[in-house]
Amino acid sequence: MQNVNISIKGMQMQDGEENDIELFTEGKLENEDGKYILRYAESEISGFEKTNTTVEIEDEKVSIIRTGNVNNQMIFLKGKKTTSYYNTQFGSLIVGVMADKLDVEINDDGGKIDIHYIIDINEEYIGQNSVNIDIKKA
């Protein structure tokens, strides 16, 4: 298990408006039989305070799993829609994501993840999102 510095840039395009977020944090990266696992604690700036995030990284699949104040698992497969429940303290929603870009470059020293996706909530189109994760050895 390796200590890493993580830079996350997110973009949401909804109703013609773009919202950007940038987060820098520390975490841990490990290689489990060819699948990389990235773990870090969310902060207030991400809107997910008191939530831990695990990113499971494979060649053709990235899963983002949040547990704590928010409980959700989003699975990104290029060209395929996946759905999951998004459980919050206020109730549950069904979230659908369809990745039109999924680029992964990772090794034991770190790497990059670039995901562009369409998101819907309860089958209603919400917008285009992207997330870029840059992982560097601490």
Side-chain angles (χ1 to χ4, degrees):
M1 191 175 301
Q2 175 107 253
N3 289 328
V4 291
N5 293 319
I6 306 163
S7 167
I8 302 167
K9 293 178 185 172
M11 186 277 297
Q12 298 175 326
M13 180 66 83
Q14 188 175 345
D15 299 327
E17 290 186 30
E18 186 175 312
N19 294 313
D20 296 322
I21 185 170
E22 195 163 358
L23 169 70
F24 298 97
T25 191
E26 296 174 352
K28 303 227 178 266
L29 179 68
E30 64 184 303
N31 184 341
E32 287 184 3
D33 300 321
K35 173 166 60 171
Y36 286 91
I37 311 291
L38 176 67
R39 291 184 173 88
Y40 61 93
E42 293 283 353
S43 69
E44 205 173 309
I45 193 169
S46 69
F48 298 113
E49 65 181 322
K50 296 184 183 168
T51 300
N52 292 311
T53 297
T54 301
V55 183
E56 296 180 354
I57 307 153
E58 300 173 65
D59 287 340
E60 304 289 325
K61 176 182 173 185
V62 174
S63 302
I64 299 176
I65 302 147
R66 291 190 172 102
T67 55
N69 273 358
V70 172
N71 294 292
N72 173 252
Q73 176 175 334
M74 294 169 57
I75 300 171
F76 299 96
L77 298 163
K78 187 173 181 179
K80 293 185 181 168
K81 181 178 177 180
T82 63
T83 58
S84 62
Y85 284 98
Y86 188 86
N87 299 311
T88 71
Q89 55 198 6
F90 306 109
S92 292
L93 305 166
I94 298 172
V95 176
V97 294
M98 163 86 150
D100 49 19
K101 180 179 182 182
L102 179 65
D103 291 337
V104 175
E105 292 177 33
I106 192 154
N107 60 42
D108 291 345
D109 293 327
K112 294 179 186 285
I113 302 166
D114 189 15
I115 307 169
H116 294 224
Y117 61 98
I118 296 167
I119 187 167
D120 65 64
I121 295 179
N122 296 332
E123 295 289 326
E124 186 175 318
Y125 174 81
I126 297 299
Q128 285 272 152
N129 291 4
S130 69
V131 63
N132 303 91
I133 304 173
D134 195 7
I135 308 156
K136 289 188 168 61
K137 194 190 295 191

